[in-house]
Amino acid sequence: MGAVSTSLVEEARTIFSDLGYEVTEDGDELRAERKWRTVHVTTDDPDDAATHGRLRCFVARGDQANTVRERLLSTEPDYDWAVMRVDDEEYQVLHPSGDVLPAP
């Protein structure tokens, strides 16, 4: 029997749920809510992703996460963002440096 592969969006849903967020589908994205915070979670390329919301998390496989982060750093979007690198059952959050975050 072969290994069962979980989709990237399902892995993101599980990670945010495990972190205590209420996760719902929002079109092609996920919306993760906890307390006052709403994070729009997407597996889309930054050039194709929606731009609504103040907090965005781009989820990518390990080999693509740094590319997504570099693209976001070069485009300087008008929202706070992070990239979640997902490898197997582990993840790492890649943040921009503090000087590239937009002012509140």
Side-chain angles (χ1 to χ4, degrees), residues 69-87:
R69 182 179 181 274
E70 291 303 316
R71 186 169 299 134
L72 288 161
L73 285 170
S74 69
T75 59
E76 300 178 4
D78 290 335
Y79 48 78
D80 289 342
W81 58 267
V83 176
M84 182 181 293
R85 176 188 308 162
V86 178
D87 290 305

Side-chain angles (χ1 to χ4, degrees), residues 8-58:
L8 193 54
V9 71
E10 285 306 314
E11 289 183 56
R13 178 190 304 274
T14 299
I15 291 166
F16 274 91
S17 292
D18 289 350
L19 291 171
Y21 285 82
E22 181 179 327
V23 181
T24 56
E25 289 185 26
D26 187 15
D28 292 338
E29 301 181 328
L30 297 176
R31 187 175 57 241
E33 298 176 288
R34 185 173 82 184
K35 298 181 182 176
W36 57 268
R37 186 175 329 148
T38 299
V39 180
H40 298 276
V41 182
T42 185
T43 58
D44 284 343
D45 183 275
D47 294 335
D48 300 328
T51 58
H52 63 275
R54 174 98 174 100
L55 302 172
R56 301 198 63 77
C57 181
F58 292 84

Side-chain angles (χ1 to χ4, degrees), residues 96-102:
S97 62
D99 61 339
V100 300
L101 293 174

